[in-house]
Amino acid sequence: MRVKEVAERLGVTADTVRFYTRIRLLNPNTNPHNQYKEYSHADVERLKFVVAARSLGFTVEDISTIIAKAEDHQSPCPTVRQIIEKRLEETERQFQDLIALRARMSAAIAQWEDTPDRVPNGHMICHMIESFAGGFSDDTEK
Amino acid sequence: MRVKEVAERLGVTADTVRFYTRIRLLNPNTNPHNQYKEYSHADVERLKFVVAARSLGFTVEDISTIIAKAEDHQSPCPTVRQIIEKRLEETERQFQDLIALRARMSAAIAQWEDTPDRVPNGHMICHMIESFAGGFSDDTEK
DNA sequence: ATTGACCTATGTCTAAGACATAGGTGTAGC
DNA sequence: GCTACACCTATGTCTTAGACATAGGTCAAT
Ligand SMILES: [Zn+2]
Ligand SMILES: [Zn+2]
Ligand SMILES: [Zn+2]
Ligand SMILES: [Zn+2]
């Protein structure tokens, strides 16, 4: 199979499969005539694993580590448990950041509904953004 | 003022200020002797604006656009309203994606609590990841 | 003048692909 | 066989918003 077929079969783009191949997460045979990659059943199996792991928040580097361990006949499970715990924490942080951001955006939009447009003068760029309560005072405005 | 002072005053890193300077979002004078940048009061004011806009989810490119309009003596307000609406939609999408990801991760961790570690064989890398219900069936496993 | 702590500008790197492009494939028509 | 032409491929470059590394500059104390 060539890249597009394998990509479609797993619901990812051909570019994604090419990327995984580039970083040697997949190692298909290369046709020496045109450099086209030929993906075997085993390659598809591995890609399936990568897609599943990605969907659980593992980075491609995490996945490389995991696969390396497995190929070394060691159980990757402890590593997997450790990593996902860390990734979940990161996700939680991002989540909180995103909630805060969304709240600020919504508040700004709400506040600006009753604010007229204004042409900037020398000491202001957009009064809406500048007046939005964030408290970014420079504390040295004399 | 030099980069560090201005950065501290606004609660960002010196690298951030340098980055904004590099992309000409800030345009401090340069000491021709040592290339050190000298930030004026006006530069600090502009940085204050950039920081405020960033905290509302505007990209640096958005901010460039907004500033350009203001410097052209046009009101940037309609642009600002348009952009933040779009950015809020994106944030909302990210938010939903993140909720789904977090749910998958938590579910996986919960499921794996009762799963023993296992050493991989030729047809498996990590059974925990592989067996986690995501339904990534290749549909051609004959 | 010399040290040494701190600071600076510049270049490079990051994640995970998307995008652009030059060239290859394969089928249809002649 | 040859030519179109639609589609596919590998490769190189680009993306975000800074972080990091490093060679060199500053400045106060010696
Ligand atoms: Zn199989
Ligand atoms: Zn405005
Ligand atoms: Zn001012
Ligand atoms: Zn496992």
Side-chain angles (χ1 to χ4, degrees), chain B residues 52-98:
Chain B
R54 287 288 297 128
S55 90
L56 284 174
F58 293 93
T59 68
V60 296
E61 194 173 356
D62 292 340
I63 298 169
S64 291
T65 304
I66 292 164
I67 290 178
K69 225 165 200 129
E71 293 196 326
D72 198 27
H73 309 295
Q74 296 178 254
S75 172
C77 304
T79 308
V80 165
R81 293 179 203 277
Q82 221 177 310
I83 294 176
I84 198 171
E85 211 72 51
K86 186 161 51 150
R87 298 292 169 243
L88 179 55
E89 280 168 32
E90 292 168 5
T91 300
E92 189 62 36
R93 263 193 298 279
Q94 285 179 46
F95 184 73
Q96 297 302 334
D97 290 352
L98 217 50

Side-chain angles (χ1 to χ4, degrees), chain B residues 30-54:
Chain B
T30 298
N31 180 328
H33 172 55
N34 54 15
Q35 299 300 108
Y36 282 21
K37 307 296 184 294
E38 184 62 30
Y39 294 86
S40 68
H41 174 72
D43 291 319
V44 175
E45 293 283 308
R46 175 173 286 205
L47 177 56
K48 210 184 301 184
F49 179 77
V50 174
V51 171
R54 287 288 297 128

Side-chain angles (χ1 to χ4, degrees), chain A residues 2-4 18 22 35-37:
Chain A
R2 305 220 273 229
V3 63
K4 188 155 192 260
R18 285 193 197 102
R22 231 185 297 210
Q35 301 298 109
Y36 283 20
K37 308 296 185 294

Side-chain angles (χ1 to χ4, degrees), chain A residues 41 45 48, chain B residues 123 141:
Chain A
H41 174 74
E45 294 282 308
K48 211 184 301 185
Chain B
H123 214 82
E141 195 79 39

